[in-house]
DNA sequence: ACTATTTCGTCATGGCCGTTTACAAATTAG
DNA sequence: CTAATTTGTAAACGGCCATGACGAAATAGT
């Protein structure tokens, strides 16, 4: 009798961890870090009023964070003090503590960078050259070399790596280690965790996802609910809901490229017909524009379009229209605050946007969802990866401090 | 210098509330309630081991919950004790404390029910009769009468109402009070909060959303990531991500009915062309089947299909195909663990499913997303609404106890 | 039947953590 | 130069969970 009528729901209220006093302290440490990180140099009193704790409590939290090297005292707060009382002592996130290492495996390049807690890029290495159809081992080996170089470089400035995040052009399993399918690299079911050095906590994710996160964290005026569309070769989207990335059960969410645009359209490699990629994918656009694939395909398209090449412009207009149809579906389903075009699409936006926007507006009752262009350029995914690690530190300073005190 | 390089993110780590000891206590009270609710009668020791606190701590939490009338002691735990030691005292959620009042404004009926913390339906009233194009005031007045009757009925059993949740067939703003657009009722921008009695905390939401929540909370084997598709007159979907309902910026998420299926298809009231509703909406299906709209349209379709009416079967097959196309888009975007057909679609599933499934499978690389049929019947949204209130109590027992001690 | 063992619920104690209260230090307004 | 204001810290306080011990209630083994 009185059998379980409500099903268990693991998420429950708050987190699944026992809500003990230590957990409380950890969360408050995180709140201090986030506040200082987000709102620049701040006095203890300012932090206290922002997070709703007392000055006394914040004092002890700050002391602990300073001892761990995550926060720094800049000295008496000079700038813009208007009030009358004693000036506070400015606190800032440390520029000599942990660093996030971001890496990107592109079809045509490898890149690694290091970002400190302040969000500053402290080192960056890029190696040009195609990785198409190279087997994973040599690529990862090369990447490992670049990572070591970057780590060594920032170590000279007193930074130590808190983790490594790798952006790949393909689907990544929810374990955040295994590349399930990366068509343009020719990789499938590859466990990068076993190939990369185990010293650093590793996160692997789709480049579209990291691009979306970069937009969320670094974009100007980006809301907490948006769809970030990017294209390298395929078309991927990062869906951000309430400030959190939507991953899906298997980690495959955001596959905008295979949303059906015309159910009876041309066949697609995915098995479907008339997928968005058949209209707005790089290959399809090049073909429609009468161009051959080669190096710097996006630059080529942009160049020709600027020169006034009608074939290219028409191809891009049609691609924008197809994007508009697919995004209408996405907008109806998700009701985001905006759609952001990033990656290669950002560079082609001038020719894509008009048809995309009009298609979206035409199909929407009421005000259409605004479409904007990312200002982050092609480095979005790389920055997103590095910042992923940084966010991890901000989200649980106590966790890394354990490891990092003697880093 | 050192300007805010990271943007503020209000969600931050955990909630925005200050993480004080009182908050910790409140969350632990909630954890106890959830655990007992989800896993039936449990001893204090069993609860303690499940939520990771000590027996002593749980004892005090339980005492407090019993004093508030939210938990009941059933006496020595008899059933299935296998171990050797002293038997525990079984705890169960109270059947005499707060109750959730759920209401549904359908096109053809009004319904109100009361559900206790155990999930048991303790009272229910239904009034048949169309509400199409009736103005809001008399409808809400009638609904208020039904609510009062239900509240009075359960009050005789010692239950007091903890809140009221109303399911409506239309779009609801994020304030959870205002019906922005309900085409089948002819309502727009109607603030139900000002029409309903203010005594009870009110939540208004789309019936598709409440249907999805009912599926999440009550469905057998329903995962934490799924898309729940339902149709009354329009086609709506409730998207559940990680056990949480996706609402969208304006609260309009899940508008599956206006996902484009054929970009050049027939015009739709939304301004678009070839929306799903033009192929799988009730009106469209009836027309395709050569039937006139009237009472119990779903029953009519199901009856004719069972009898073997080829026109009706074809119409449903085509509708299933269109649903398959639209859902392919949704599945690619969201990567849910499953798709669940509810509401009117559940009754028509035998004829919709084959074409829907094959379309979805054909367009998917790898294993297709499984499609199942809800077992909740047409009462899903009503139950979801009532349980919404119940969940609110479980999520913050301290909050309602303040109000309810002398309820 | 009796004892040893196991498990449950509770109580007293202790430690952790944010709050409250008080105060010295540092700056501005007049 | 004084009054007012604000900051940061220290001491006392109170709430909350952990720890450890204990009596109670059942079972297993002899």
């Amino acid at each position: 009798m009185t059998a379980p009528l409500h099903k268990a729901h693991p998420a429950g209220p708050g987190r699944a961890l026992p809500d003990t006093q230590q957990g409380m302290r950890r969360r408050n440490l995180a709140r201090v870090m986030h506040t200082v990180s987000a709102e620049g140099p701040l006095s203890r009193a300012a932090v206290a009023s922002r997070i709703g704790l007392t000055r006394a409590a914040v004092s002890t939290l700050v002391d602990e964070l300073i001892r761990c090297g995550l926060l720094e005292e800049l000295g008496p707060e000079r700038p813009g003090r208007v009030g009358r009382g004693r000036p506070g002592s400015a606190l800032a996130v440390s520029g000599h503590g942990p660093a996030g290492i971001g890496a990107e495996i592109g079809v045509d390049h490898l890149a690694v960078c290091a970002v400190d807690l302040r969000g500053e890029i402290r080192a960056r290495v890029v190696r040009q050259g195609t990785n198409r159809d190279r087997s994973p081992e040599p690529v990862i080996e090369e990447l490992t070399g670049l990572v070591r170089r970057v780590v060594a470089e920032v170590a000279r400035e007193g930074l130590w790596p808190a983790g490594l995040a790798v952006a790949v052009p393909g689907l990544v399993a929810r374990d955040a280690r295994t590349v399930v399918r990366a068509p343009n690299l020719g990789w499938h079911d590859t466990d990068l965790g076993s190939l990369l050095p185990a010293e650093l906590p590793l996160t692997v994710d789709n480049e579209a996802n990291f691009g979306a996160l970069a937009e969320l964290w670094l974009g100007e005026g980006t809301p907490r609910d948006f769809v970030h569309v990017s294209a390298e070769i395929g078309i991927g989207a990062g869906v951000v809901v309430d400030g959190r990335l939507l991953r899906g059960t298997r980690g495959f969410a955001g596959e905008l490229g295979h949303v059906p645009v015309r159910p009876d359209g041309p066949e697609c490699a995915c098995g479907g017909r008339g997928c968005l990629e058949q209209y707005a994918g790089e290959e399809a656009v090049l073909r429609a524009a009468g161009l051959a694939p080669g190096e710097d395909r996006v630059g080529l398209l942009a160049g020709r379009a600027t020169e006034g090449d009608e074939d290219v412009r028409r191809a891009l207009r049609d691609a924008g229209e197809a994007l508009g149809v697919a995004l209408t579906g996405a907008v109806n389903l998700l009701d985001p605050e905006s759609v952001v075009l990033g990656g290669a699409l950002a560079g082609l936006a001038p020719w894509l946007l008009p048809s995309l926007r009009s298609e979206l507006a035409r199909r929407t009752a009421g005000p259409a969802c605004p479409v904007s262009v990312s200002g982050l350029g092609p480095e979005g995914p790389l920055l997103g990866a590095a910042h992923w690690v940084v966010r991890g530190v901000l989200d649980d300073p106590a966790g890394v401090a354990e490891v990092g005190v003697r880093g």
Side-chain angles (χ1 to χ4, degrees), chain A:
Chain A
M1 70 187 70
T2 316
L5 288 169
H6 275 107
K7 298 196 310 175
H9 69 149
R15 46 197 63 66
L17 302 164
D19 221 327
T20 167
Q21 309 179 61
Q22 294 156 50
M24 184 173 81
R25 180 115 186 132
R26 276 170 86 142
R27 287 191 295 278
N28 280 333
L29 286 168
R31 294 256 294 285
V32 171
M33 285 302 291
H34 267 108
T35 306
V36 175
S37 162
E39 310 195 35
L42 242 44
S43 69
R44 289 166 175 78
V47 172
S49 75
R50 263 158 245 244
I51 66 180
L53 298 182
T54 59
R55 299 200 308 272
V58 169
S59 253
T60 71
L61 292 165
V62 165
D63 284 353
E64 190 169 335
L65 290 169
I66 289 178
R67 273 202 311 279
C68 295
L70 300 178
L71 237 42
E72 276 176 5
E73 192 132 24
L74 298 181
E77 194 176 46
R78 287 265 146 271
R81 287 278 301 108
V82 279
R84 280 196 284 286
R86 161 182 167 180
S89 170
L91 299 167
V93 152
S94 167
H96 307 282
I101 312 296
E104 182 177 12
I105 302 176
V107 178
D108 298 318
H109 73 292
L110 293 178
V112 176
C113 76
V115 168
D116 65 22
L117 289 187
R118 292 179 172 165
E120 226 103 31
I121 300 172
R122 301 291 287 269
R124 169 158 48 187
V125 191
V126 181
R127 190 202 49 69
Q128 293 296 337
T130 186
N131 298 310
R132 197 184 289 268
D133 298 324
R134 281 177 79 193
S135 78
E137 289 77 8
V139 175
I140 296 298
E141 201 173 320
E142 200 170 351
L143 189 73
T144 305
L146 299 182
V147 169
R148 288 200 207 285
R149 250 169 62 193
V150 165
V151 168
E153 191 175 333
V154 296
R156 287 200 296 271
E157 304 184 45
L159 288 159
W160 54 271
L164 172 63
V166 184
V168 297
L171 298 178
V172 177
R174 285 216 72 158
D175 65 0
R177 296 168 45 112
T178 308
V179 177
V180 176
R181 208 162 50 231
N184 303 312
L185 296 173
W187 297 3
H188 61 99
D189 298 314
T190 306
D191 177 13
L192 298 191
S194 66
L195 299 175
L196 282 158
E199 308 129 39
L200 292 177
L202 174 68
T203 307
V204 181
D205 206 342
N206 191 321
E207 69 173 349
N209 282 346
F210 277 131
L213 288 173
E215 189 63 33
L216 172 69
W217 291 328
L218 307 170
E220 284 294 317
T222 309
R224 292 166 49 75
D225 289 83
F226 66 97
V227 175
H228 181 264
V229 187
S230 64
E232 177 95 350
I233 303 258
I235 297 176
V239 179
V240 175
V241 177
D242 201 35
R244 294 166 49 83
L245 187 65
L246 195 153
R247 288 218 143 69
T249 332
R250 298 166 301 177
F252 298 177
E255 278 291 282
L256 193 69
H258 297 288
V259 168
V261 169
R262 295 176 191 275
D264 305 316
E267 282 191 18
C268 178
C270 76
R273 286 174 151 274
C275 300
L276 175 62
E277 252 177 50
Q278 298 303 311
Y279 301 96
E282 203 176 84
E283 213 173 299
V285 172
L286 285 171
R287 197 179 328 113
L291 299 176
E295 290 284 298
D296 188 22
R297 302 161 296 271
V298 175
L300 179 65
L301 283 168
R304 290 291 180 90
T306 310
E307 292 165 13
D309 184 323
E310 247 334 297
D311 288 344
V312 171
R313 289 197 174 178
R314 186 175 20 75
L316 290 173
R317 203 158 50 230
D318 292 349
E321 212 172 287
L323 273 164
V325 172
L327 284 172
T328 299
V331 167
N332 269 301
L333 221 52
L334 302 167
D335 185 27
E337 194 167 333
S338 74
V339 171
V340 182
L341 298 186
L345 296 178
L348 300 171
W351 303 280
L352 293 168
L353 268 183
S355 54
L356 195 169
R357 281 202 177 114
S358 80
E359 200 67 16
L360 197 54
R362 197 156 64 86
R363 296 176 181 279
T364 311
C369 183
V371 182
S372 60
V373 179
S374 167
L376 291 179
E379 302 259 278
L382 181 65
L383 289 175
H387 277 266
W388 170 268
V389 177
V390 169
R391 297 304 275 213
V393 175
L394 298 181
D395 283 343
D396 187 11
V400 301
E402 289 167 24
V403 187
V405 167
R406 37 108 200 84

